[in-house]
Amino acid sequence: MIEIICNDRLGKKVRVKCEPTDTIGHLKKLIAAQTGTNAAKIVLKKWYTVYKDHITLEDYEINDGMNLELYYA
């Protein structure tokens, strides 16, 4: 289990526990369950990299305690 921290810079910071083999789409569903927003409207970024739904966390080298930027489309 790894813990990912997602911050939308509007006062909402979400900590999500997931597996490294989970996809970004699954991570978005876990974030949506905690925040109450629609998973389809969530966009995860790190600097200028937009993470795609079908790729796993370990393929993107997302590790335990990493911070991701949370945007709403």
Side-chain angles (χ1 to χ4, degrees), residues 12 22-23 25 35 47 62-63:
K12 193 177 290 185
D22 289 344
T23 62
T35 60
W47 286 89
I62 296 174
N63 300 316

Side-chain angles (χ1 to χ4, degrees), residues 12-65:
K12 193 177 290 185
K13 188 181 264 190
V14 181
R15 294 178 178 263
V16 180
K17 291 194 180 280
C18 57
E19 294 292 328
T21 55
D22 289 344
T23 62
I24 296 292
H26 188 262
L27 177 63
K28 286 182 182 182
K29 289 178 186 174
L30 293 173
I31 294 169
Q34 286 190 12
T35 60
T37 60
N38 189 358
K41 295 189 179 232
I42 292 175
V43 178
L44 294 175
K45 289 184 181 181
K46 182 73 173 183
W47 286 89
Y48 293 105
T49 304
V50 178
Y51 294 121
K52 307 220 182 286
D53 288 351
H54 64 282
I55 300 177
T56 62
L57 300 176
E58 61 188 1
D59 288 341
Y60 274 127
E61 298 179 357
I62 296 174
N63 300 316
D64 188 29

